[in-house]
Amino acid sequence: MSRLHVSATVNGDATDFLCDPSASLLDALRDQLGLTGSKEGCGSGDCGACTVMLDGEMVCSCLVLAAEAQGRSVRTIEGVAEGSVLHPVQQKFLEHAALQCGFCTPGFIVAAKALLDRNPDPTESEVRYWLAGNLCRCTGYDKIVRAVLAAAADLRQERTPA
Amino acid sequence: MNAPTKFDGAKPAYRHVGTRPVRPDGVDKVTGKALYGTDFKAPGMLWGAVLRSPHPHARILSIDARKAEALPGVHAVATGKDFPTLQSLVMHVGEGASDIVDVARNCLALDKVLYEGHAVAAVAAVTPEIAREALALIAVEYEELPFVLGLEDALAPDAPLLHDDVFTKGVEPKPDKPSNASMRVEMGSGDVEAALATAAVVASGRYTMEPVHQGYIEPHACVASWNADGQAQIWCSSQGHFAVRALTASVLAIPQADIRVTPLEIGGGFGGKTTIYLEPVAMILSRKSGRPVRLAMTREEVFRATGPAPGAVIDVRIGAAEDGTLLAADVEFKYHSGAYPAVDAGAGVASAIGHYRIPAARVVGTEVLCNRPAAKAYRAPGAPQVNFAVESAIDELAVRLGLDPIELRLKNASGEGDPQTSGVPWGKIGWTQCLEAAKAHPHWSAPLGENQGRGIAGGYWGNYGGPSTVVVSLAEDGSFVVATGSPDIGGSRASMAIMAAEVLEVPYEQVRCVVADTASIGYSMVTGGSRTTFATGKATVEAATQVRQLLCERAARMWNVPAEAVEWREGTMHCISGEKAGTSISVARIAPMVAHMGGPVSCVSAINANGWLPGFGLHICDVEVDPETGHVAIVRYTAVQDVGTAIHPDYVEGQVQGGAVQGIGWALNETYIYDHKGRLDNPGFLDYRMPVASDLPMVAAVLVEVPNPDHPYGVKGVGEVPIVPPLAAVANAIHAATGKRLKSLPMAPDRVFAALHGCA
Amino acid sequence: MPSTAYHAPDTITGAIALLMADPTARPLSGGTDLIVQMRSGRVTPGAIVDLKRIDGMAGIREEGGGFVIGAATPCTALRNHAGLLAAWPGVVEAANLIGSVQVRNRATMAGNLCNASPAADSVPALVAAGAEAVIAGPAGVRRVPVAAIPLAPGRTSLAAGEFVVEFRLPAKPAGGGDAYLRSTPRTEMDIAVVGAGVSLVLGADGICTEARVALGAVAPTVVLVEDAAAALIGSRIDDAALDGVAEAARAVCNPIDDKRGSIAYRKAMAGVLARRAVLIAASRAGVIA
């Protein structure tokens, strides 16, 4: 079976790659484009470690065919920071020690940023339910939730300068 | 000159110990740059895949791989016959002992498969798709055998036998027939029956559970490259790359120094990655193909084929006097070893009742073989299961005697000098301090609402020290590099940098910590057993101390004064006596010169760390139970733990919170479900139900510090204790909320509903 | 092992032709069931026909007071439509319990329905609401009640080359309210052990004039519980009516024992959830549209 040629925008750059028709977007990102920040924890959409933004919505890239990315815009963990300037979500994850092994962290950061881009003042419960699709086995989620709430506070201050 | 080693109550004013700086590997991890098991690629790398048994117990009659080998794109096929013939040899690697023959058979079966998912063959091909296609072309002829999954069934006289050469260890005289009972451990003293007979109340019961998995989010993965000249490299996600080297070299019967193992970042292990599954297989495929080979497990393979924590049947009887004094305890349990002999029973026996002073006690544990994946370490291996039964029984005593559950525990709590179950006296433990801290905590007196209940449970884990090697080196500008052989699973690079910076009295950012591969540093035992901050930390302190001493000597030589005349303060050497008194030089200024003035400054500490102390914890859990549906919501959770000294409190809290939540998952929803053909029915995160963020409240971690006199900063291991108390804490809370005591895990909604409404 | 082809037609007729050309071809919407099944080897389609590039397949519009929902509309988009959320909150809720936010940004009710899992979350709510599915195929376009589509676990009544193009929800009647509840072991991420969808209409005097109660995961396909409706109609949703609903729900159950729930537990939960969903629907029935 011949491979498909896909053109997409990945982290702001026009990109293209070849893929098997049944390959996942996650496979293409990791193996064709070398963007190994998104992880495979389960391959079945149950852990969220592969979370990326597709046309502005967060998705499990293991459940998107690489072919479906044709003409679309993908943003991965590698595209969250602006150059070397960390996004407040990334910064707060570091300050609040919201990672231990760090494997689930890229998925959480993409998902948390997606939340704060839509809801700048989420409650603890809203944060927990939004992130229910991201499994973490190391932290028990406590410091992750605190980091997201702290990033939200940070961003709200930035948006409304004193 | 050295950091203090005696703690007289007051914690010294540390510069760095106890602070919360950002970890050195943090930016890589929040930007997706860090390389984990499947992120690493070697040039020319092939993709491997493993063929696994569909049967829980069968003889392998033949394997015909010719069609697979002929498939275009396939470069190698491996079976168990590709491993050399090995002699039985028990290796103490990782957490627990294993016979190297069993390790090899578990990597690739030879004559028999012992569980569904047991690896029987492997291929390496140019793409993962071709590798999977090749697996389907391997024809394996099996003779199915009767299988056994349950503990009691495996011990029945007519049970299918997994190994005909396993005779129960720990039984005198040695049994004359093989059985599935691989080991029996007993500890205790006193006349238990007589003491129970005098008790006012005896809490007794049978507690049961199925296996649970460590649940690390990153599946096992490695890349191996084995050259024709015999030298090899392995890159893998592991808790112990020296263990990987030792086990792989032993399975393949090659010198250890021929393998260089580089640890990649690891996406969780919790004990499950202190062993090998894929490395020797990838090595064989690499040697045969002449190229590096990557082998990685899918999530399904992780569940079907890697070691869970054993399930258990625990029978407990604990007798107390009217005033709550514990008089006797009789605890007997059986653990699922799975396909190969395991060793959790010993730790289980030692971890059952030692936290109480009980004059007459008997604890017996048996490991039972059955057709499931071989059990492997999972955070305090062997302790949570037996603790569930014991702390539930203690709770029952408190309820029946009308005593406050904290007071009952305080009344009987072991302290320094009291005997453990083995008879060896406890050292400077912090168990009563945890109980007191819990009692004083606002959670303990917070009001409860309708359908809510509060439960507590306490537990402990022995921890460990053991061998670690650390090298502290001076860079030519006065900054430092600390190299360890301890993979970082949760922030230990930060802790080592803190401890080194504390000794050197320089800013934290002036000390960087890296994890070196097996060829670049001396041996270190696995990152596990709650040993790393203790043992690798001790070695770090020792090496850093040597560095500052050596630099003082160099300054002394440079100033032509005796070494005693030079003092180190905050990264600067000062001459404090004689005619050069007042002269000083900073490490930044001396650093460019020293290498040419006596040699580079690089000090190694290779120690076998002794003097570790166990950790104790007391957890308070509030639940709300929906009486109509049986759903249990955790509404508040506080985990109190004696940590000795918290080097980096954020990461210590993280261990406590993470372990507590794993215990909550174990208590409420996690379990292995098998079908009637002995195949695992829930090998994925959909139906192996681990807690998600919306299932939990914040987890308060209360760090009690009773410093360990035998560590320069008072460290006690913290990683494993927190998974021990939650099982009973949750069960006791459910009892408080509903009046029903559940004795079988998990306490999923349908089970709670059945207990409340008396139906199946 | 034959490999899979991928097609992204931009017309309905093009999609039909591709599906007719290969009997093992599968339509792709969100992919959150199909891709999982492909990975596990449960299905091996010769071709995947991606419907998302067809104009008009995604989107929600109001028509004659009712709603037309394109088959390729992701579940989260349903929440963003204020009119739909106000009229049929139960349907929107049901669709937004599937999986996680990541899954819901892709999953569609059409995929959920045509996957024909007995435990599909959107189906009891759609059936209770009286939704219809518009199906395109080689023989033309037809319109059927949603309940007519699932035949058995994993099997639908769709003929070769057919696929759902849109859902049609009626206008919310005055005094109408709907709700969906499900029982899962965890708070999120689980397949429903039981799902209960309820839609009812209360008159100005508080008496129930219409009711539909549908249960999922208690039988091979969704069950419309006629006796539960009968217990509600003519009542003021009092305790006797609620008891009747619960009993009817339990009686109609024909579940299996599986890794997600036992027969006994499913029966019990059917009664509990039907009752609770009726109360929520009734409280919404009082709200002005």
Side-chain angles (χ1 to χ4, degrees), chain B residues 130-150:
Chain B
I130 294 175
R132 278 195 293 274
E133 209 182 314
L135 289 187
L137 296 175
I138 299 178
V140 183
E141 224 187 311
Y142 294 102
E143 179 198 330
E144 286 182 63
L145 299 169
F147 66 90
V148 63
L149 295 181

Side-chain angles (χ1 to χ4, degrees), chain B residues 244-270:
Chain B
V244 170
R245 182 178 74 170
L247 290 168
T248 305
S250 301
V251 166
L252 299 174
I254 62 178
Q256 287 197 26
D258 273 4
I259 311 181
R260 177 181 195 168
V261 183
T262 301
L264 299 165
E265 299 298 330
I266 173 175
F270 315 111

Side-chain angles (χ1 to χ4, degrees), chain B residues 124-198:
Chain B
V126 292
T127 68
E129 293 77 26
I130 294 175
R132 278 195 293 274
E133 209 182 314
L135 289 187
L137 296 175
I138 299 178
V140 183
E141 224 187 311
Y142 294 102
E143 179 198 330
E144 286 182 63
L145 299 169
F147 66 90
V148 63
L149 295 181
L151 282 171
E152 309 288 359
D153 294 337
L155 292 172
D158 56 346
L161 211 55
L162 271 79
H163 301 274
D164 52 21
D165 58 351
V166 169
F167 296 82
T168 315
K169 290 201 175 96
V171 171
E172 292 301 326
K174 175 176 157 175
D176 52 15
K177 286 200 315 183
S179 75
N180 289 325
S182 62
M183 181 168 91
R184 185 184 186 280
V185 180
E186 180 167 344
M187 268 192 214
S189 63
D191 188 337
V192 171
E193 295 305 329
L196 280 174
T198 69

Side-chain angles (χ1 to χ4, degrees), chain B residues 424-496:
Chain B
V424 174
W426 287 114
K428 206 166 154 69
I429 59 178
W431 172 218
T432 47
Q433 291 88 332
C434 286
L435 287 161
E436 295 290 359
K439 193 164 133 183
H441 195 277
H443 185 174
W444 185 236
S445 47
L448 285 164
E450 204 187 327
N451 291 321
Q452 294 186 350
R454 178 168 300 147
I456 67 167
Y460 61 99
W461 180 251
N463 295 336
Y464 196 58
S468 281
T469 307
V470 172
V471 178
V472 176
S473 306
L474 173 71
E476 295 131 279
D477 63 351
S479 55
F480 296 91
V481 177
V482 176
T484 81
S486 295
D488 185 347
I489 57 182
S492 50
R493 272 170 290 203
S495 302
M496 301 309 148

